[in-house]
Amino acid sequence: MSNNPITPPDYTNSILNVSNSLLKYYHVPNPHPTHKTVDTFLNTQYDHIIYLLLDGLGTNIIKYHLNKSDTLYTYMQEEITSVFPPTTVAATNAVISGRAPIENGHLGWVQYFKKEDTNLVVFKNEDFYTGHKPSENLRDKYLRYDRLVDQIKAKNPHLTTREFMPNIVDPKGPKTFKEQVERVLLHTHNHDQTFSYVYWVEPDLSQHEYGIDSDEIHTLLKELNEEVTSLINQLPQNSLLVGIADHGLTNVEPLPLYDNPELNNLLQRKTSIEPRATNFFVKPHKHDAFEKIFQSSFGDYYQLYTKEDLRKSHLLGNGKEHPMLESFLGDYLAIATSNKMFTLSDKKQHKAHHAGLTEAEMMVPLILYKK
């Protein structure tokens, strides 16, 4: 076990609880506790609710790059946690399902599908290592759930519900956040009662490329803040903006995993999930050797959990376990507690990343503005 301090998810004060507050508000059964602060804001009837998720907007970069007078800082009511792993696949799917990763089965960028014997990039439906595309969409086949907007619409047929996605997700989506905001405003002004889920891919993408404390991120955050200001200024009366992030990021240094043949020779297959929450399937009767080598090589930087340890920790949340979770998880999950990140090749690496258990990755804002 590493001695580095960790920040685990708090499943009474997380993005998952925010979604459950919204479910409860719209008379949909909420499978998890609601969030008290959000409930206080929802203690009235709104014509329009905008649920905004800015990917990678950790509280660390809000505090570093913005002033307390800036909109994103001013209306940050408190800091809440992400889920585990604090990464886009796990966190956004927790938000738009209202269920924890242990329940909806979305764990990370790469998940191993046993029947198809593929390390699948979940959002792309292709093998991470070979690029091979399965003949059917495995996420659709195994990981489907009722989305937040659909759950809400089913109980509130009078309500106009919509998801707003960027063109990186939806080819018809906008290329800029400014355009995204314009579409949301048009939608709210053209309908009597709306619920909108709005996702934007920044500042995550740029932090990966430039690092969390770069000039580029400073400029980007000022621009995002300006557009959110424009959004709240132009919202119709009787509206509520609920703003969150899926996770934060931290600057990282590479830790070459591909360059450790002694360890890799003990594995049944290549690693999966995330570089900072890494899944290891170990050959039979090699577990002791694996633990020994791992701890001596990486024990200062990563905390090693057996599958049983992980279940006991409840890091993945609570609820009925997804039927494929057992096969998704390897014998061990190594979770980053430092600024180091496993690299799986000698290709150019990200300057910042997420999915570990540091405060920077786990803490995100709860932004609430009512008009």
Side-chain angles (χ1 to χ4, degrees):
M1 288 286 189
S2 161
N3 293 321
N4 294 315
I6 65 168
T7 303
D10 177 353
Y11 287 108
T12 65
N13 183 40
S14 74
I15 56 178
L16 181 64
N17 306 105
V18 177
S19 289
N20 275 266
S21 284
L22 289 165
L23 288 174
K24 184 179 181 182
Y25 173 80
Y26 285 114
H27 314 296
V28 182
N30 52 293
H32 293 279
T34 59
H35 193 281
K36 289 186 174 69
T37 305
V38 181
D39 291 343
T40 302
F41 273 74
L42 290 172
N43 195 22
T44 184
Q45 291 300 309
Y46 295 97
D47 292 327
H48 306 282
I49 294 182
I50 296 91
Y51 194 13
L52 171 65
L53 192 157
L54 294 174
D55 199 320
L57 185 76
T59 54
N60 60 335
I61 59 166
I62 290 177
K63 292 174 180 177
Y64 187 85
H65 292 288
L66 296 180
N67 301 315
K68 289 188 176 180
S69 57
D70 288 323
T71 296
L72 290 172
Y73 207 143
T74 298
Y75 295 108
M76 179 169 69
Q77 304 296 326
E78 57 191 84
E79 297 184 51
I80 60 177
T81 76
S82 181
V83 298
F84 181 80
T87 188
T88 303
V89 171
T92 59
N93 284 289
V95 166
I96 55 181
S97 68
R99 296 195 175 271
I102 196 171
E103 299 173 288
N104 68 49
H106 289 77
L107 303 181
W109 190 246
V110 181
Q111 294 182 213
Y112 178 71
F113 287 75
K114 188 175 181 180
K115 184 179 176 185
E116 291 79 9
D117 190 27
T118 180
N119 284 292
L120 192 80
V121 179
V122 176
F123 281 172
K124 293 185 174 182
N125 198 50
E126 66 181 33
D127 190 284
F128 178 74
Y129 293 100
T130 68
H132 172 75
K133 282 187 174 289
S135 57
E136 53 189 331
N137 189 304
L138 301 188
R139 185 185 178 202
D140 285 349
K141 183 176 181 178
Y142 295 117
L143 297 174
R144 289 185 76 88
Y145 57 75
D146 292 331
R147 299 172 78 84
L148 198 71
V149 290
D150 298 327
Q151 294 181 57
I152 289 170
K153 179 68 173 179
K155 289 283 187 181
N156 304 267
H158 65 283
L159 197 66
T160 305
T161 61
R162 185 172 165 187
E163 288 187 356
F164 291 84
M165 297 287 181
N167 72 327
I168 198 170
V169 178
D170 174 5
K172 294 180 181 178
K175 293 180 180 178
T176 67
F177 187 51
K178 181 181 175 67
E179 187 186 344
Q180 179 92 298
V181 166
E182 289 169 356
R183 291 190 187 193
V184 173
L185 287 168
L186 196 64
H187 179 71
T188 52
H189 281 281
N190 283 348
H191 297 90
D192 292 336
Q193 291 187 302
T194 65
F195 173 77
S196 305
Y197 171 71
V198 185
Y199 168 80
W200 192 250
V201 75
E202 292 285 15
D204 178 79
L205 277 184
S206 295
Q207 287 181 88
H208 281 307
E209 185 172 354
Y210 300 111
I212 65 172
D213 46 6
S214 61
D215 291 343
E216 289 86 353
I217 300 306
H218 184 80
T219 301
L220 175 62
L221 246 63
K222 290 291 187 182
E223 290 169 355
L224 290 171
N225 185 76
E226 192 176 311
E227 292 308 326
V228 173
T229 306
S230 176
L231 173 63
I232 65 172
N233 286 344
Q234 297 180 71
L235 280 175
Q237 288 299 317
N238 206 26
S239 296
L240 176 69
L241 174 73
V242 181
I244 59 168
D246 48 352
H247 57 76
L249 289 87
T250 188
N251 288 342
V252 291
E253 294 177 0
L255 205 56
L257 189 65
Y258 67 92
D259 203 20
N260 193 314
E262 189 181 17
L263 187 91
N264 288 313
N265 287 338
L266 301 175
L267 304 182
Q268 291 188 62
R269 62 183 61 91
K270 292 182 182 292
T271 59
S272 53
I273 302 190
E274 292 277 350
R276 287 178 61 79
T278 309
N279 213 16
F280 293 92
F281 293 87
V282 179
K283 291 176 181 175
H285 315 300
K286 299 295 183 182
H287 290 63
D288 288 346
F290 171 82
E291 287 187 25
K292 187 176 179 181
I293 294 170
F294 186 93
Q295 295 296 5
S296 65
S297 301
F298 308 120
D300 289 342
Y301 316 117
Y302 278 76
Q303 202 155 296
L304 193 63
Y305 290 76
T306 65
K307 191 184 295 190
E308 185 183 359
D309 290 338
L310 189 66
R311 282 193 169 99
K312 287 178 180 176
S313 74
H314 296 286
L315 283 172
L316 295 171
N318 303 293
K320 185 180 179 184
E321 190 174 294
H322 189 278
M324 291 186 68
L325 191 85
E326 174 68 24
S327 60
F328 285 150
L329 293 174
D331 302 292
Y332 298 91
L333 187 72
I335 306 173
T337 58
S338 68
N339 68 334
K340 304 294 189 196
M341 183 185 81
F342 286 140
T343 57
L344 307 177
S345 72
D346 57 1
K347 294 177 183 175
K348 181 187 173 187
Q349 302 298 331
H350 291 319
K351 289 187 177 178
H353 219 297
H354 46 79
L357 277 176
T358 68
E359 182 179 352
E361 295 158 282
M362 190 58 72
M363 301 310 295
V364 298
L366 173 60
I367 296 162
L368 294 163
Y369 171 84
K370 60 181 176 182
K371 186 171 184 178

